[in-house]
Every structure is written in structure tokens, then in C-alpha cells.
């Protein structure tokens, strides 16, 4: 079971998320929180696998809470779920350690899929967010960023570059394993090495590195 924590200051939103996610046979809701402070406490106390996190909440917001949660010894995956889709929120959330960013109009199917992907070490972004993210990555000081990104790739093996490209294309571990003819365990091992060598904390940042280095158009 994927132990999931729901964080939103509106009880009606939490009830709706619970209703959707509990329809999945492999998802268990282990708790709820109404603000960032409660979320950090619940994450440390309940040990969820995945957290669905709102951004704008009283006291501590979801971005600060995400950053604090990601510092826990056994840090869960955090998926940001919000009505706001500004570039600032996307990049701040990713820098804080979130592994996904969904808008609240995401379909129930995609919401459940996002929880499963986060639990499996993958990431999911709303299509609108993905387009904005790629646009910013590919247009913000591209030459300087390209040089910096290529320099960071110098320590990678050939196989690690292949996996990096696949992550940049948005493929899941299962898809990468099938395409590169390796086990999913090997894929996860390569991605772990990419985290270390590229000095990143989540899969989306790996994808950004692939775009900046020009491995993905």
C-alpha cells in the first residue's frame, strides 16, 4: 500500500482527495493536515510514502513545509497540488524538493497515477506546467546554461547519459528499462548515480539537466 498524507487548509478539498484516492486499491490515506506546520509534524510522526501538498496555507505554506519535510531522515515524496501555476511556484517547489506539480483540476485518473509515480521514484507535472517549464529552461540564458550543464555531464558514463536522456523525455522507469534493455533495479541505480553526480534531489531536476545540456530537444 502507498501510505499517503493529504495537506490542504480546506477540509472539503481534503475530503475530495480522500474520496478519489481511496478508490485505488493500492493507496491508503494515513492522515491529513491543514497547514505546513501540521504537515511537517504528521510526516515525521506517520511516515507516509507520498504527500499531496497545497501551496497557500495559514502559518507555514506548502513550499516551506516541503523543504522541511525533504530534510527528514526518511523523507517522503512530495507532490504539489494547487490552483496556482506561476513559474515562480513551479521552480520554488522543485528547488524545495517536490517531485511533481499538479493543478487541482487534474483528473482523478491522473491524480492516482501521480501518487503511484511519486512512490516509484518518478515525477509527474501537469501538461500546462510542463510546457511552461520547458519554455523557461530552453530560453533562459541558454548558452551559459548549456555550457554549465555540459560541464556537469562530464563525469557521467555512457549508460548514465542514455538514462538521463530518457528521463528528459519524460519516460518512467518501466519504459526506460524496456527501451534500454535493462532491469528496473538497474535503472533506479543509474538514476541514483545521476542524483549524486548532477547534485540534484529529484527526477524533475534530472530532466531539466537533460534539456539544458541539449540531450533533449
Amino acid at each position: 500500500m502507498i501510505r499517503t498524507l493529504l495537506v490542504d487548509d480546506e477540509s472539503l478539498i481534503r475530503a475530495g482527495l480522500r474520496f478519489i484516492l481511496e478508490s485505488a486499491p493500492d493507496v491508503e490515506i494515513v492522515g491529513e493536515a491543514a497547514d505546513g506546520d501540521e504537515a511537517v509534524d504528521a510526516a515525521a510522526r506517520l511516515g507516509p510514502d507520498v504527500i499531496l501538498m497545497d501551496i497557500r496555507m495559514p502559518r507555514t505554506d506548502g513550499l516551506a513545509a516541503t523543504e522541511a519535510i525533504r530534510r527528514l531522515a526518511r523523507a517522503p515524496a512530495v507532490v504539489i497540488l494547487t490552483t496556482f501555476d506561476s513559474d515562480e511556484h513551479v521552480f520554488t517547489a522543485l528547488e524545495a524538493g517536490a517531485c511533481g506539480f499538479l493543478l487541482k483540476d487534474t483528473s482523478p485518473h491522473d491524480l492516482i497515477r501521480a501518487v503511484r509515480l511519486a512512490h516509484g521514484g518518478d515525477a509527474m507535472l501537469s501538461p500546462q506546467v510542463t510546457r511552461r517549464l520547458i519554455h523557461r529552461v530552453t530560453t533562459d540564458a541558454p548558452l551559459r546554461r548549456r555550457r554549465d550543464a555540459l560541464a556537469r555531464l562530464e563525469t557521467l558514463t555512457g549508460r548514465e547519459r542514455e538514462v538521463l536522456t530518457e528521463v528528459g523525455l519524460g519516460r518512467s522507469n518501466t519504459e526506460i528499462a524496456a527501451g534500454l534493455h535493462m532491469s528496473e533495479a538497474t535503472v533506479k541505480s543509474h538514476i541514483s548515480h545521476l542524483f549524486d553526480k548532477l547534485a540534484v534531489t529529484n527526477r524533475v531536476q534530472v530532466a531539466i539537466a537533460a534539456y539544458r545540456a541539449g540531450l533533449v530537444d
Side-chain angles (χ1 to χ4, degrees):
M1 297 294 287
I2 305 172
R3 295 167 51 80
T4 305
L5 175 68
L6 307 178
V7 183
D8 197 291
D9 60 330
E10 296 187 32
S11 59
L12 188 61
I13 296 295
R14 298 198 305 273
L17 293 173
R18 177 182 285 272
F19 178 78
I20 292 170
L21 293 174
E22 286 186 337
S23 69
D26 56 343
V27 178
E28 176 188 6
I29 305 303
V30 296
E32 299 181 10
D35 61 46
D37 290 337
E38 290 183 9
V40 176
D41 175 71
R45 180 167 42 85
L46 300 173
D49 301 309
V50 177
I51 297 178
L52 287 183
M53 178 81 73
D54 188 23
I55 287 183
R56 296 193 180 183
M57 296 181 292
R59 299 196 295 174
T60 302
D61 67 20
L63 299 177
T66 296
E67 190 171 4
I69 288 168
R70 292 299 299 168
R71 290 196 296 265
L72 295 175
R74 183 184 177 278
V78 178
V79 177
I80 298 294
L81 185 64
T82 183
T83 56
F84 306 98
D85 64 343
S86 72
D87 291 337
E88 178 184 359
H89 286 139
V90 174
F91 278 86
T92 302
L94 297 179
E95 288 171 356
C99 70
F101 195 105
L102 300 177
L103 302 184
K104 285 185 177 177
D105 61 359
T106 298
S107 70
H109 173 269
D110 283 342
L111 181 63
I112 293 171
R113 179 168 176 261
V115 170
R116 289 170 173 161
L117 287 173
H119 183 244
D122 288 338
M124 182 172 179
L125 297 175
S126 292
Q128 308 97 304
V129 176
T130 301
R131 286 192 294 271
R132 294 168 70 114
L133 181 65
I134 292 172
H135 175 73
R136 177 162 172 177
V137 166
T138 56
T139 59
D140 184 12
L143 293 179
R144 178 178 59 80
R145 289 183 179 275
R146 176 69 58 84
R147 288 195 298 270
D148 292 345
L150 287 172
R152 295 170 71 188
L153 264 59
E154 290 179 355
T155 61
L156 301 186
T157 66
R159 207 56 163 161
E160 288 167 348
R161 282 176 176 258
E162 290 179 337
V163 173
L164 174 62
T165 301
E166 294 294 302
V167 173
L169 290 170
R171 297 195 173 118
S172 67
N173 288 355
T174 301
E175 292 168 334
I176 295 173
L180 297 182
H181 307 291
M182 61 176 70
S183 69
E184 287 192 48
T186 301
V187 173
K188 289 181 179 179
S189 176
H190 283 312
I191 291 176
S192 178
H193 293 159
L194 290 175
F195 282 5
D196 293 336
K197 292 184 177 182
L198 299 177
V200 299
T201 59
N202 62 61
R203 193 184 186 93
V204 178
Q205 292 169 338
V206 173
I208 290 173
Y211 277 101
R212 285 179 173 163
L215 299 181
V216 179
D217 293 330

